[in-house]
Structure formats: C-alpha cells, structure tokens
Amino acid sequence: MQDTDSQINRTTVPRHIAIIMDGNGRWALRQNKARTYGHKAGVNALKQTIESCASYGVDVLTVFAFSSENWLRPKQEVDVLMGLFMLTLKNQAKKLLKNNIRLKIIGDRSRFSLTLQEKIEEVEKLTSNNSAMTLVIAANYGGQWDINQAIKRLAKHAKEARQSVDEFEINDFLSTAGLPEPDLFIRTGGEQRISNFLLWQIAYSELYFTDVLWPDFDQNELLTAIMSYSSRQRRFGHTGEQINEQAIK
Ligand code: FPP
C-alpha cells in the first residue's frame, strides 16, 4: 500500500492484536476448491500479517489457529490443519529467529502427535530469547479451558505454598501470563462472535469485525483495522471528559 508508513506514523498502533482468522473454507469453496486449499492460502495471509505487525511495531500478535471444538471437523480437514501446522513450524523457524520473533503456543497440546509436540517445544526454545515481537498461536485452545486450567493451577499452587487462594491473581495462571491484554481484537469472515477465543483477556479490547475472508486479509485490511482502533476513545470505565483531560496533561 502506498503511503502506509506515513499513515501508520499518525496512528496509535495497538500493543497487542488478537485475530480470529475466519473464512478459509468459504474462500476456497467460492473458487470451487476444497476447503483445505483455503487453509493453505490462510497460512500465506498469516505470514503477511506477521510481517506487517512486526514492521508496525506491534509487541504481541495472537492468532486462533485451531479451537478445542475444531476436532469435530471431518478427519481429513483436521489432518490437513495438523500437517500445515507442522510444516509451517518447520519452514518458518529460521525466519522467526532471523526476524527476532518469539513464538509461544497456547492451548492444550497434549492431544497433538508427539512429533508435533516436540516441534512446538523446539521452536519455542529456539526463539525464546527473541524480543522484537511475540507471536502467540492458539492451538487446541478455548477461552473456557484457559480459565479452568488457571483456576486449578492457582488452587494447587496456593495449597503447596500453604497460602490462601486470594493471595494470587488468575491473570498470572492464564496461558497468556506475562503478556499485555489484547488492545485490538479482529475477526475476519463476517461473523460477529468471540467463539471461545480469549474470554478473560479481551475484557477491554476494542472489537473489529470485517466481512473480508481470511485469505484476502492483507496489509491494507490490517491498516484499516488499526485506523479504526486508533479513532476510538478507550475509557476503561472513566468518562470521556476525564480521558480528554488526561490527554491534555
Ligand atoms: C477458520 O476458517 C480457520 C481455521 C479453523 C484454521 C485457521 C488456520 C490457518 C489460517 C492456517 C493454519 C495455521 C497455522 C498456524 C499453520 P473456516 O475453515 O472456519 O472458514 P469458513 O468459516 O469459511 O468455513
């Protein structure tokens, strides 16, 4: 996009962007192709989005790659998604390292094949000291699962430390512990729902829904979403007047 840099310079860039990458299947079916063709195109859109976010100075990009409910899809589609996940990790590891991007996978990885679990660990370890941006991939993830596991781990921790549970914060036990909460939540593909993505973490996120199908989501579309975010006033419970006064100070 022409003039992207000057547009982004005049814009408040979100620190953390979370995306539901929806619409791969419909994108493929519209071209009389198999749904899995759409997922392959979805990987390309993801690569572009990672590059754009890194170049805009976004600190964290979180994407929903596979929900806890996606196991219900036809086995062949699930197999293709698992294969793509493995292939992308293999192909992109060096690029993540070169671009100083840290990879973090959130979700219940115990249901993945052992080879996939090992690959995830390997790439996470390889990129663990990178600091330009954190890429979080939610895989076999559900927001309710996350809250559940956080509460269980918190209770166990408190018991072991012989302290009361209210000495601790749920935030510190979520799979996103240590990361800032998403400022901007994007869903492509036309549906306006959260679909059990980051439930706790998006309490104050700005929501942005677009009809664009994920494989068509490019730098232009990302910029449009960021501009929409940038034009909003985030009040976090304050009045608009209080926020304006703070901006003047
Ligand atoms: C939703 O589209 C998308 C998914 C369930 C998977 C998203 C996966 C990718 C973008 C590629 C793989 C990711 C990695 C990290 C390698 P849909 O199939 O629900 O589309 P539809 O709503 O049009 O049917």
Side-chain angles (χ1 to χ4, degrees), residues 19-27 35 39 64 73 186-193 195 210-217:
I19 309 182
I20 297 189
M21 310 178 286
D22 197 13
N24 293 347
R26 276 166 288 159
W27 184 87
R35 295 176 50 80
H39 294 315
F64 207 4
R73 294 192 173 202
I186 300 173
R187 181 174 186 144
T188 63
E191 312 289 358
Q192 303 202 355
R193 51 181 174 248
S195 297
T210 170
D211 288 338
V212 171
L213 303 175
W214 176 248
D216 290 329
F217 191 84

Side-chain angles (χ1 to χ4, degrees), residues 58-104:
V58 170
D59 284 341
V60 185
L61 170 66
T62 301
V63 293
F64 207 4
F66 194 86
S67 76
S68 346
E69 291 76 32
N70 284 152
W71 297 106
L72 300 169
R73 294 192 173 202
K75 184 177 179 308
Q76 191 257 355
E77 184 171 340
V78 171
D79 289 347
V80 168
L81 282 168
M82 291 299 136
L84 274 179
F85 195 13
M86 185 73 184
L87 192 70
T88 309
L89 287 173
K90 274 186 187 161
N91 291 344
Q92 299 301 308
K94 279 201 186 119
K95 200 164 171 196
L96 291 174
L97 201 57
K98 182 171 151 258
N99 293 334
N100 198 15
I101 298 174
R102 175 169 75 122
L103 178 74
K104 185 176 165 59

